[in-house]
Each structure stands twice: as structure tokens, then as C-alpha cells.
Amino acid sequence: MNLGIFIEQVPDGDGAWWEMLASGLGWTLGTAFFAWIMAFTLGSIVGVARTTDKPSLVRAGNAYVELFRNIPLIVQFFVWYFVVPGLVPAVKAWVVSLDPTEHQFVTSIVCLGLFTSARIAEQVRAGIQSLSHGQRDAGYAIGLTRPQTYRHVLLPMAYRIIIPPLTSEVMNLIKNTAVAYSIGLVELFFRTREMAEMTFRYFEAFAAATLIYMVIAMSANRVMALIERRVAVPGYIAGGK
Amino acid sequence: MIEIKNVSKWYGSFQVLNHCSTHVRKGEVVVVCGPSGSGKSTLIKTVNALEPFQKGEITVDGISVGDSKTDLPKLRAKIGMVFQNFELFPHMKITENLTIGQIKVLGRSPDEARERGLKMLDRVGLIDQMDKYPGQLSGGQQQRVAIARALSMDPIAMLFDEPTSALDPEMINEVLDVMVELAQEGMTMMCVTHEMGFARKVAHRVIFMDQGSIVEDATKDDFFGKPRSERAQQFLSKILHH
């Protein structure tokens, strides 16, 4: 093992190999962060839609989930990157105005955001449906409207209940960003491969990547555990404590 | 106050309510009883539109419940409801449970809502529990908070859906005491309950339901004196034995 490789300069670039990996990590975290915001927002909306008493909304929500859940992630990446711009002229016009890295970044966020949102929608639906129907009735009975009942009564408890599966989803999302290498996004896995192939230091490069992925996924896990403790409801059995 | 006219309801092809008609006048206490599955909970939930119905008409304070143009949240805010399983909001402190409806629905200021909520909490004897969460209270205490939550909205009538059925025996009376007090103060009440002691004490009328129909709708004295239907007699003899 040669740890000195990390401070060696990249032959055709600026900076050392560790800086390349750090820059890859930046893209990985950036992609995961924005994709999470998108996934959480869309997933909540679709999840809620699937628990309403409107059959059309329920069906649309179900279709959404099945669409993004049943196609392999790497296929979705290729569809968003190569197929969609060709199909929709407005998207085409927009992506050609971006530089390639921006295009890859936006595509990765959209693709991972939608893919993950379908999974979150499923969890939000399950969380809401795990609450007793009486909770909804109690919200309506004091005069809350349907949106108010979701906002103040159902969702606060549903989110608390689904924190454990949401934690897995955050970790999955972080790990899934590695697939973005397939469309050329210069994220951590892309840089790791690049380093390994150019230096033939496969062991060092992948040991570093393994360590970094483990640290960020485990940090996400710790942060979620912290949130879970912070929002635990005193006296409520499913809330822990 | 509450008029129920010829109400029928089906779940698919199964009829849960069959031409039910009755009424609750202002200040009146009406107890609804009957065997399980007789439709009594369903009937009381149609009054504030928690259960839709397909036929008939219900009006509350002159407003039609089944009319699609009716502002249901506004109507429901005027009718207090107490559930079998309390249904307090577990993630909110007792004070928040008492104020959320007042703030979000009635538009009261947080201070005003708190003052009103605490007054009702004091009334049910739980003022010292104001900063706790529902999960930290006993069943009887939770149900009293639920009554206080409904009263905080200044309702014109109260609906009780088996308020003591989920309680341990030693907690039933603390809830019934609050209800008796309410009844004696002239609150308009419709109560689904098997507590015949409560019915004898404060009810003006007793409704007996069986298989989705109102079989008996009589004054308290008539009902306990000589129920006209055989079904009601059987029911009474079964539950009054012990």
C-alpha cells in the first residue's frame, strides 16, 4: 500500500489525487442533497395523494410509484440523459445551453429525485395508513379542513413513524449517486475509477472510496437517529424512548 | 337542533342504516343504545358528516349536512365530538390539543385560545396536566381532555360515540361525571353508550337501534318502564342483569 499516491499530482490536471477525490465527494454530496429535497417533496405529495378518498388521485399516485420503482436505476439515468432531450424539444434547447457537467448534474438530481420519490411516496402512504382512522375523524370533527388535517394531525405522526425506513432511503440515495458515473458525472466513484486506471493503484483508490462512502452513509444514519430522538413523542410507544 | 329524516346508508349492498328518523332538541340529552353492529356509531357519525349517507336528510341548526354546498368544516366546528378511542393528537401537548382547533378554525389568538382551553381543562379537573402529552395520561384522563377539547370550541351540541367503552372500569365514572355535569348544565347531547345508569340519570329520550333501524324512540321513563319492542326488552334484560 502506498498512501503517498494521494498527494501525488494528477498528470494532466491541477491538484493532487486526494483533491480529485474530494471534488468527487463534493459532487456526490451535492447531487444527494438536491435529489433528497426533490424526493422528499414529491414523495410526500404523491404519498398523500394515495391516501385521499379521490380514486383518480390514488390511481395517478399508484401509477407514478410503479413507473419509477420498476425500471432499473441505470436505465432511468440513460433515459433522462439521452432519450428525454431528444423527445422534448424544450428540454433539448435547454440542455444544449448548459455546459456538460451542469447537464450531468441536473440530470442526476432529476433522475435520483424521481426514483427516490417513488420509494418515499410508498413510505409516506404506509405511514399515514398506519394511523387510526379516528385521527383523521378527530381532525375533521374539530373543523379542520382536509389539508389542515394532513398538515397538523396526520403527517406529523406519519413522518415520525417512518423515520427508520426514511433513514435507509437517505443512505440508499447517497449510495445510488455512484450510478451517475454512467452518464459521466464526475462524482466520487467516477474519480475513484479515474485514479485507479491512471495510477494502477486500485487498492488505494477503492479503499479510500469505500471509507468515504461508509463515513457519509453512516453519518446520515447518525443524523437521522438524532432527529428521531429529538422528535420522539413522550409517552407514545412507537416513538421510541 | 338536530333533525334526522329517513336516513339510509349502504356499504356496497349491505344496508347499515335503514330509514332512520329522529331528532335532538336544544338542551335535550338523547342516548342511543343497541347491540353491536346495530348502526348506532354510524348514525351518530352521519350527524357531522364523518360518515356519508345515500338517502334522507340531516339538518343541524337548520343547515343541511348532506348538501354538497355546505361548508362542512364550519359546520363540524359547531358540533363537539368525543370518540371511543379518545383520538387526542399524540404529538401535541395537552394545551396544543385544546387550542389547535380554536386557532386554525375559529381564528382565535393563541392567548385567547389558551385561556379558553385551560378553563375547559380546569373544568374537567386536569389543569395540572396541561404540559403533558396524551400518551402520559391514563385513558380516563385522555377522554376528559378530549371532552375539554370539544368544549373549547364552544359547540352548540355534543356527540359522544361510546365514550367509555375503551376505558378500564375504574375510569368510567370520572368520564361519566363530566358528562352528567354537562347534561345538567343544559348542553344538547347525543350519546351512543351502554351506560344505562347515565341514561337513567340525565337522558330525556332513549333510542334503541337494531340492524340499522331505530326500533324504539321513547322518553326515558317509557323506555325503562315498558319498552314496546321485544328486541329492546331482550337487550335491556341482558345488559341490566349485572
Side-chain angles (χ1 to χ4, degrees):
Chain A
M1 190 160 72
N2 173 12
L3 289 176
I5 187 71
F6 292 109
I7 52 169
E8 254 174 47
Q9 294 295 306
V10 178
D12 60 345
D14 20 36
W17 280 114
W18 74 268
E19 287 171 282
M20 287 299 262
L21 293 184
S23 140
L25 173 61
W27 286 105
T28 290
L29 293 178
T31 307
F33 177 77
F34 289 110
W36 175 254
I37 291 174
M38 185 175 161
F40 189 76
T41 312
L42 283 175
S44 296
I45 294 168
V46 175
V48 164
R50 296 173 72 201
T51 62
T52 59
D53 51 10
K54 302 255 185 298
S56 56
L57 278 179
V58 173
R59 271 199 300 274
N62 291 348
Y64 180 97
V65 169
E66 296 308 334
L67 175 67
F68 292 109
R69 193 164 72 155
N70 290 320
I71 301 171
L73 180 57
I74 193 164
V75 176
Q76 295 192 34
F77 263 102
F78 277 65
V79 168
W80 285 111
Y81 196 64
F82 296 111
V83 181
V84 171
L87 282 177
V88 188
V91 174
K92 177 94 180 173
W94 185 60
V95 298
V96 294
S97 73
L98 300 173
D99 77 43
T101 309
E102 282 173 351
H103 181 197
Q104 289 149 1
F105 186 51
V106 170
T107 304
S108 302
I109 290 167
V110 169
C111 179
L112 284 166
L114 290 169
F115 176 78
T116 310
S117 73
R119 304 173 57 94
I120 290 177
E122 183 65 4
Q123 291 161 6
V124 168
R125 178 197 60 76
I128 293 170
Q129 286 177 349
S130 75
L131 302 171
S132 86
H133 198 269
Q135 284 284 297
R136 184 189 290 262
D137 282 351
Y140 291 160
I142 60 169
L144 297 179
T145 59
R146 189 195 312 258
Q148 283 175 327
T149 301
Y150 273 97
R151 160 74 184 80
H152 299 290
V153 177
L154 300 176
L155 283 174
M157 281 314 291
Y159 282 135
R160 282 175 169 87
I161 290 167
I162 63 170
I163 286 177
L166 277 183
T167 304
S168 308
E169 225 40 71
V170 175
M171 296 168 74
N172 280 339
L173 173 58
I174 291 168
K175 292 179 283 181
N176 283 341
T177 56
V179 182
Y181 116 94
S182 61
I183 60 165
L185 182 70
V186 288
E187 44 69 59
L188 180 57
F189 178 60
F190 184 99
R191 290 304 191 195
T192 306
R193 259 180 58 115
E194 188 180 32
M195 175 180 167
E197 283 170 4
M198 289 178 72
T199 63
F200 294 103
R201 292 286 176 184
Y202 279 88
F203 177 79
E204 287 81 353
F206 279 93
T210 303
L211 210 63
I212 295 169
Y213 277 121
M214 275 182 68
V215 168
I216 48 179
M218 282 170 72
S219 307
N221 180 303
R222 295 292 94 200
V223 169
M224 292 296 276
L226 195 71
I227 293 173
E228 186 172 12
R229 275 202 301 281
R230 283 282 299 276
V231 302
V233 175
Y236 189 77
I237 308 119
K241 276 194 180 173
Chain B
M1 177 79 64
I2 301 170
E3 290 283 345
I4 300 174
K5 278 182 223 146
N6 264 318
V7 168
S8 294
K9 176 183 172 71
W10 288 263
Y11 284 126
S13 60
F14 179 69
Q15 189 162 12
V16 277
L17 293 178
N18 186 6
H19 295 283
C20 294
S21 295
T22 187
H23 59 87
V24 183
R25 290 197 194 88
K26 190 170 165 28
E28 202 172 27
V29 177
V30 174
V31 162
V32 183
C33 62
S36 63
S38 60
K40 44 195 199 308
S41 283
T42 308
L43 180 69
I44 201 171
K45 283 181 179 167
T46 57
V47 173
N48 63 351
L50 291 180
E51 289 282 359
F53 52 92
Q54 283 86 30
K55 267 196 183 156
E57 197 190 9
I58 298 178
T59 58
V60 175
D61 206 19
I63 300 162
S64 169
V65 176
D67 189 337
S68 60
K69 289 192 286 288
T70 299
D71 182 350
L72 283 181
K74 201 175 153 195
L75 179 67
R76 286 168 176 150
K78 295 203 283 185
I79 314 168
M81 181 148 198
V82 175
F83 298 87
Q84 183 174 359
N85 293 310
F86 332 132
E87 304 299 351
L88 294 175
F89 306 133
H91 57 293
M92 296 182 197
K93 284 184 178 174
I94 300 306
T95 44
E96 295 169 278
N97 266 281
L98 295 168
T99 55
I100 180 156
Q102 298 183 66
I103 295 170
K104 301 291 172 194
V105 181
L106 303 180
R108 288 180 183 160
S109 73
D111 288 341
E112 197 186 354
R114 190 180 159 86
E115 193 184 322
R116 175 74 187 153
L118 292 183
K119 203 170 149 197
M120 291 302 112
L121 191 61
D122 194 25
R123 180 178 172 163
V124 299
L126 292 170
I127 192 75
D128 49 334
Q129 311 290 337
M130 58 189 256
D131 287 321
K132 290 200 176 156
Y133 285 85
Q136 297 170 311
L137 304 188
S138 71
Q141 289 174 324
Q142 288 189 51
Q143 194 61 299
R144 282 147 70 198
V145 171
I147 295 173
R149 174 174 72 181
L151 292 176
S152 302
M153 302 289 288
D154 299 313
I156 57 170
M158 289 279 287
L159 307 175
F160 291 85
D161 183 13
E162 304 206 35
T164 57
S165 302
L167 294 174
D168 288 339
E170 79 268 25
M171 294 173 183
I172 290 176
N173 280 332
E174 63 185 81
V175 171
L176 287 180
D177 287 347
V178 172
M179 290 171 62
V180 166
E181 208 176 290
L182 259 184
Q184 286 169 346
E185 281 170 23
M187 174 60 81
T188 307
M189 293 164 66
M190 186 168 174
C191 313
V192 173
T193 182
H194 290 144
E195 298 295 337
M196 288 302 129
F198 169 79
R200 275 187 202 274
K201 202 165 185 177
V202 295
H204 297 102
R205 281 181 22 246
V206 179
I207 291 170
F208 176 77
M209 288 185 73
D210 190 29
Q211 296 180 346
S213 300
I214 292 179
V215 178
E216 195 108 17
D217 185 345
T219 64
K220 172 179 63 181
D221 294 336
D222 282 353
F223 184 77
F224 287 112
K226 41 172 179 18
R228 280 157 294 184
S229 69
E230 202 181 317
R231 193 69 189 83
Q233 283 171 15
Q234 279 175 3
F235 178 76
L236 273 182
S237 72
K238 271 182 196 151
I239 63 167
L240 291 180
H241 258 215
H242 306 286

